[in-house]
Amino acid sequence: MSPEPISEPVPEPRDPAAQPLDAYSRVVSAVAGELTPRVASLRVRQSGREGSGSAVTFTADGFLLTNAHVVGGARGGQASFADGTTTSFTVVGTDPLSDLAVVRADGGTPGPVTLGDSDGLVVGQLVVAVGNPLGLAGSVTAGVVSALGRSLPTRSGNAVRVVEDVIQTDAALNPGNSGGALADSRGHVVGINTAVAGIGLGLAVPINSTTRRIIGALMRDGRVRRAFLGLVAVPVPVPAALRDRLGQREALRVADVVAGSPAARAGLRRGDLVLTAGGVPVSQAQSLQRLMFAEAIGRPLPITVLRNGAMVDVITEPVELSAER
C-alpha cells in the first residue's frame, strides 16, 4: 500500500489590521483617528443656493472654526459629524479679511481638538489635512509643509488685506475641505485649510497668536475691529552700513501712502524706510498688521523712519478700518 500524500496546512487568512504599520502610516492614521470625529461637514443656504465645507470643533461647548467664505452671509446651517450626529448651527461671527469664521452648534458635539501654534512649523515637516467634504467623513490626506510665510489676498467690500504667514502644503485639498483641519504629527491643529493654490499646492490660515486674537474677538463680539494706518510697505534689507548701528537687518520700505490717511497726515512719504512702530522693530508687513487691532484705534502710534540718511520720528493715530477703506 502506498503512503497517503501529506497535505500542506492551509494558512490562516491574514487580518490586514494586524499587519504592522510603518512609522509614517502610524502617525497619519493616529492623527486621522484623533481628528476625524471632531471635523464636521457644514451645509449652508443663502440666496437660494446651497454651499458646503468643513469645520473644526475647538471648544467643549460647541464652538466650531471654519472659513468665512464657507458660511458667507448665512446666519446658520446644518453640521454633520462622522458618528452620524447632525445638528443645526448659528453663525457667531465672520472675518472675511482673515477668512475665518466661528459658528456654534445648537446641539451636542464631539470633544474639541487641541489648537497648536503654527509659528513652530518648519519647511518639510509632516502635516495631515482632515476634512469632511460633502458629508464624506474622514477625508484624510498627508504631505509636508512646502513653504511658510506665504500671503493670501482677501477682500471685504473695498477693504483689501493680506492674510499673514499662510501655510503652504502639498497635502491634497479636495472640494469641501475648506474649513477643515491641518494638523501636525501630534494631532494639534496648526491651520484651517482655506484654498487650493494649484495642483499639489494647498493653503491654510495659520493658528498663531494673531489668529487666536481674531477667534477671541469673533466669539466675544461677532466681528473684528481693525485699525487703519494707510501705508503700503514692503520688506527690504537695511543698508549694510547701518545694520550694526540699528541692530536690525530688515525694515519696511514705504511703497505708497493712501491720500488723507493717518500715515499721510503724520507726514510719512513714499520711500521712507520704516524701522520701528510703537517702539518695536518692524521687518515684515505682518509686523505692522499685528499692531492694527482695536486697541490701536485713536491712540498715538510713534513711528521711526530713515529718510535721506536721517532718522525721523513721527506720531500717527490709526483710525478704524471700514469697508470704504
Side-chain angles (χ1 to χ4, degrees):
M1 177 180 293
S2 60
E4 294 185 5
I6 300 175
S7 59
E8 293 291 333
V10 178
E12 293 288 331
R14 299 185 68 182
D15 180 3
Q19 296 182 19
L21 296 176
D22 60 273
Y24 176 87
S25 298
R26 286 198 301 272
V27 170
V28 174
S29 60
V31 172
E34 174 70 17
L35 296 187
T36 296
R38 296 164 172 79
V39 177
S41 173
L42 298 189
R43 290 185 179 273
V44 298
R45 191 169 184 83
Q46 53 183 326
S47 304
R49 296 183 178 181
E50 186 175 271
S52 64
S54 301
V56 179
T57 303
F58 71 100
T59 71
D61 52 351
F63 284 94
L64 293 90
L65 190 59
T66 185
N67 291 143
H69 78 260
V70 168
V71 297
R75 296 184 177 181
Q78 188 175 71
S80 303
F81 292 90
D83 63 359
T85 300
T86 299
T87 178
S88 58
F89 69 82
T90 302
V91 176
V92 175
T94 63
D95 181 43
L97 292 182
S98 65
D99 199 21
L100 290 175
V102 173
V103 305
R104 190 173 192 180
D106 300 325
T109 63
V113 302
T114 299
L115 295 181
D117 185 358
S118 63
D119 288 347
L121 293 175
V122 297
V123 173
Q125 182 174 341
L126 169 66
V127 284
V128 181
V130 180
N132 196 334
L134 306 175
L136 302 175
S139 173
V140 178
T141 56
V144 299
V145 174
S146 50
L148 292 166
R150 294 297 195 226
S151 58
L152 177 66
T154 58
R155 177 183 293 272
S156 179
N158 292 326
V160 178
R161 183 177 183 272
V162 174
V163 180
E164 61 188 48
D165 294 334
V166 169
I167 304 164
Q168 180 181 311
T169 174
D170 65 355
L173 299 182
N174 303 311
N177 270 102
S178 289
L182 186 72
D184 62 18
S185 60
R186 298 176 297 168
H188 293 181
V189 176
V190 293
I192 299 297
N193 298 318
T194 186
V196 178
I199 298 175
L201 294 179
L203 300 177
V205 178
I207 298 296
N208 55 24
S209 58
T210 302
T211 51
R212 284 174 186 270
R213 293 178 67 183
I214 292 171
I215 294 166
L218 292 176
M219 295 174 69
R220 183 179 61 251
D221 305 320
R223 68 188 186 103
V224 179
R225 295 180 66 209
R226 286 189 174 84
F228 172 72
L229 194 57
L231 277 183
V232 179
V234 295
V236 296
V238 171
L242 297 174
R243 288 176 189 169
D244 291 338
R245 180 160 68 91
L246 297 176
Q248 64 186 96
R249 302 186 64 83
E250 289 191 324
L252 295 178
R253 178 75 67 190
V254 176
D256 198 7
V257 179
V258 178
S261 68
R265 290 195 295 270
L268 289 169
R269 306 174 187 172
R270 183 182 299 177
D272 284 348
L273 189 66
V274 181
L275 301 173
T276 67
V280 179
V282 293
S283 58
Q284 300 175 337
Q286 300 94 304
S287 304
L288 275 179
Q289 289 181 356
R290 289 190 181 110
L291 300 175
M292 295 294 104
F293 281 93
E295 57 268 25
I297 298 170
R299 294 187 177 182
L301 178 69
I303 292 179
T304 300
V305 302
L306 185 67
R307 180 186 298 165
N308 298 325
M311 307 281 277
V312 178
D313 294 320
V314 301
I315 302 294
T316 63
E317 191 171 296
V319 297
E320 184 166 1
L321 178 67
S322 64
E324 289 72 28
R325 296 190 178 96

